[in-house]
């Protein structure tokens, strides 16, 4: 495990993950406060889900275009620009909150603006990592990056909840704004490699947009991995972002701080993945992704209890029971999920051509955005029904589908490994 930390000697990588984690801290700090604020203002799981879904539409509309920008424009300037734009908005909202009230229309605008910046920013930012880290170090790089980000996920929700509860949403905007400026400064210090020479293939605008999807469809294993990501955003994320806060605060009568503690404590599971990843490298990417998927199925069994009204009454109003129950579930879920993501990301980072990487990422974001919008809509309706068993069944179906779409990846990988062994044994 300690060998993984050797990648930190790469100055550019260290600066990149510092920028990423700082920006992530501010964003999560804001997200948890916005979730509690909007849930308090609307009181409805359907309306709450609709607000969250609103932030996904820019991903669908601008996603493909952002990939073209990521592959054709100066990454450093682009990333810094959108960090500054988001920082200016958040600091402006902080100043506005000193004398005014943050209304729902203002929340809608904020969600749309930040989401639009995110989608134009994300492909460019994500395309930097493969250019500064050797392919053989990608698993270590993703493991370290994932661990640092998960550490931010411990601190941010807890502190965001406390700051929002004690001093209000305005101060949360201030912290988020400053985090974006720190991120921009860190990227400015980085020295990125020169842009790779063109492959000579000239594309029209329409072909530029379709290039990311072509890369996906050209590789069946890549298609399997991307389909898995789509299912994660359709089934898992809506349940976590809508369901967990709604169950804790509205169904079980828990405190805002209960939700903040659950969000923070359970992220320890994600951090623990860094200790597991080095132990399983020898099993290969296919087997490790499969292990992560199987691990994510385990918490679904615990969630089945939410279909029993007596069980809900047992937990209701008792912070210790509420925090304990959801912390155990999320610990197992995120340990498995973080482990899975390390190998998931390392695979596509090593397989996607560098000149098409931004468009590939953008295409994935568009697909995931469509999945999220559909998932938020369905989950919002399911949580409005008279039993929590329905959204739990929805989640279980999603995980079974994730296992199913991973089968082609496993089969192709096994066949390639068998073919490679035959070539070695025959001296071909």
């Amino acid at each position: 495990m300690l060998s993984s930390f050797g990648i930190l000697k790469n100055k550019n990588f260290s600066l990149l993950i510092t920028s990423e984690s700082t920006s992530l801290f501010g964003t999560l700090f804001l997200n948890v406060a916005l979730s509690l604020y909007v849930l308090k203002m609307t009181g409805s799981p359907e309306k709450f889900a609709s607000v969250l879904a609103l932030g996904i539409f820019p991903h669908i509309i601008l996603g493909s275009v952002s990939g073209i920008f990521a592959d054709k424009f100066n990454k450093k300037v682009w990333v810094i620009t959108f960090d500054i734009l988001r920082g200016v908005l958040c600091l402006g909202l902080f100043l506005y909150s000193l004398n005014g009230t943050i209304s729902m229309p203002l929340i809608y605008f904020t969600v749309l603006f930040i989401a639009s910046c995110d989608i134009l920013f994300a492909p460019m930012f994500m395309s930097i990592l493969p250019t500064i880290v050797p392919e053989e170090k990608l698993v270590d790089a993703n493991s370290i990056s994932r661990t640092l980000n998960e550490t931010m996920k411990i601190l941010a929700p807890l502190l965001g909840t406390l700051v929002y509860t004690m001093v209000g949403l305005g101060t949360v905007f201030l912290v988020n704004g400053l985090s974006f400026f720190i991120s921009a400064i860190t990227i400015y210090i980085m020295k990125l490699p020169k842009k790779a020479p063109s492959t000579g293939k000239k594309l029209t605008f329409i072909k530029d947009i379709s290039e990311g999807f072509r890369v996906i469809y050209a590789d069946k294993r890549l298609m399997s991995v991307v389909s898995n990501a789509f299912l994660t955003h359709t089934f898992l994320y809506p349940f976590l972002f809508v369901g967990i806060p709604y169950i804790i605060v509205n169904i079980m009568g828990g405190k805002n701080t209960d939700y903040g503690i659950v969000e923070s404590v359970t992220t320890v599971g994600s951090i623990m993945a860094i200790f597991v990843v080095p132990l399983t490298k020898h099993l290969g990417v296919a087997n490790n992704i499969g292990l992560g998927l199987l691990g994510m199925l385990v918490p679904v069994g615990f969630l089945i209890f939410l279909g029993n009204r007596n069980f809900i009454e047992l937990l209701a109003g008792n912070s210790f029971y509420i925090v304990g129950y959801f912390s155990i579930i999320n610990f197992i879920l995120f340990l498995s999920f973080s482990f899975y993501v390390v190998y998931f990301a390392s695979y596509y980072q090593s397989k996607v051509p560098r000149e098409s990487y931004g468009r590939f990422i953008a295409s994935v974001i568009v697909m995931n955005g469509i999945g999220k919008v559909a998932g938020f809509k369905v989950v919002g309706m399911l949580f409005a029904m008279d039993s929590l068993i329905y959204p739990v069944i929805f989640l279980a179906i999603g995980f079974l589908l994730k296992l199913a779409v991973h089968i082609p990846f496993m089969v192709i990988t096994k066949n390639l490994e068998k073919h490679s062994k035959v070539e070695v044994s025959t001296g071909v």
Side-chain angles (χ1 to χ4, degrees), residues 87-159:
V88 168
L89 172 67
C90 290
L91 291 183
L93 288 170
F94 162 68
L95 294 175
Y96 178 83
S97 70
L98 296 178
N99 296 306
T101 301
I102 304 296
S103 62
M104 286 305 297
L106 196 52
I107 292 293
Y108 296 148
F109 171 78
T110 302
V111 169
L112 283 172
F113 183 87
I114 290 183
S116 297
C117 289
D118 281 345
I119 185 54
L120 293 170
F121 167 95
M124 191 74 74
F125 190 90
M126 294 173 70
S127 65
I128 292 176
L129 179 60
T131 68
I132 62 174
V133 175
E135 182 177 329
E136 66 274 11
K137 293 291 186 179
L138 283 174
V139 170
D140 291 340
N142 282 299
S143 182
I144 294 294
S145 174
R146 185 78 185 170
T147 300
L148 185 56
N149 288 344
E150 296 306 326
T151 302
M152 295 301 105
K153 289 180 183 179
I154 288 179
L155 298 174
L158 181 58
L159 294 177

Side-chain angles (χ1 to χ4, degrees), residues 360-403:
F360 163 78
I361 291 295
S363 299
V364 172
I365 290 174
V366 170
M367 293 173 63
N368 291 346
I370 293 171
K372 267 188 181 178
V373 170
F376 279 131
K377 185 66 176 177
V378 173
V379 164
M381 291 189 297
L382 292 175
F383 272 103
M385 299 175 73
D386 61 354
S387 175
L388 293 178
I389 194 62
Y390 300 115
V392 173
I393 291 174
F394 178 76
L395 179 65
I397 291 172
F399 277 123
L400 291 175
L401 289 174
K402 283 173 67 65
L403 282 171

Side-chain angles (χ1 to χ4, degrees), residues 38 46 53 114 154 174-175 178 190 260 280 283 285 291 299:
V38 172
E46 290 183 271
I114 290 183
I154 288 179
L174 173 63
V175 173
L178 293 176
M190 287 181 63
T280 63
L283 297 177
V285 173
L291 284 174

Side-chain angles (χ1 to χ4, degrees), residues 319-333:
S319 293
F320 179 78
Y321 288 165
I322 292 171
V323 171
Y325 174 70
F326 285 102
S327 292
I328 291 171
I329 288 172
N330 283 6
F331 178 87
I332 299 171
L333 179 61

